[in-house]
Amino acid sequence: SLGPGRNSAGLAGVGQSVRNPKPRHLGGGLSVKDTMIGTGPPAPLGRTVKLLYEGTLKDGTVFDKKDKARSPFTFRLGLREVVAGMDKGVEGMKVGGHREIKIPPAMGYGNKAVGPIPPNSTLTFKVELIAIV
């Protein structure tokens, strides 16, 4: 248990839960669903973001996970350092925010198999933005 008012990175009082979160469709089959809204300015393009995540396939199989606040996943937003769906899906998040990003194959790995991810897979990421640097 994280305790009252704490998120998985242990940040007390950061973010506000969203009641009955609904997906927003961003085009190309990409959708995001905010379950907690963070605080501060939205993550801008070109800045480095640090996040925790869990990636799953359509059947619920976890294919990747970064869940330790001491060693978050880091990339520069909008510079194609990650799949297009992750770039677009994280854009605009605020620190402490939690979001579910559903990425269609065309914005993920397409018809290529990558590690445990089969070709033409829809990917779902549950992400928590822990820093913008």
Side-chain angles (χ1 to χ4, degrees), residues 18-126:
V18 176
R19 283 159 106 66
N20 304 316
K22 293 182 175 33
R24 288 184 294 126
H25 301 281
L26 304 181
L30 179 69
S31 68
V32 298
K33 181 167 55 175
D34 290 308
T35 56
M36 184 175 291
I37 304 297
T39 59
L45 294 176
R47 293 286 298 275
T48 298
V49 294
K50 293 183 178 188
L51 51 90
L52 305 178
Y53 71 85
E54 179 179 270
T56 57
L57 300 173
K58 211 171 204 170
D59 67 3
T61 302
V62 175
F63 63 83
D64 197 8
K65 180 188 259 194
K66 207 53 152 144
D67 61 357
K68 303 286 187 257
R70 288 187 312 272
S71 58
F73 180 65
T74 303
F75 68 97
R76 290 177 298 165
L77 192 59
L79 299 180
R80 297 183 176 178
E81 295 178 355
V82 293
V83 296
M86 181 65 85
D87 256 347
K88 288 269 188 227
V90 171
E91 189 178 328
M93 283 185 76
K94 298 176 180 182
V95 172
H98 292 225
R99 180 175 281 179
E100 184 177 295
I101 304 168
K102 191 168 279 190
I103 303 173
M107 296 183 84
Y109 295 107
N111 61 8
K112 293 183 239 155
V114 178
I117 303 170
N120 300 309
S121 291
T122 294
L123 310 174
T124 300
F125 286 91
K126 290 183 179 173

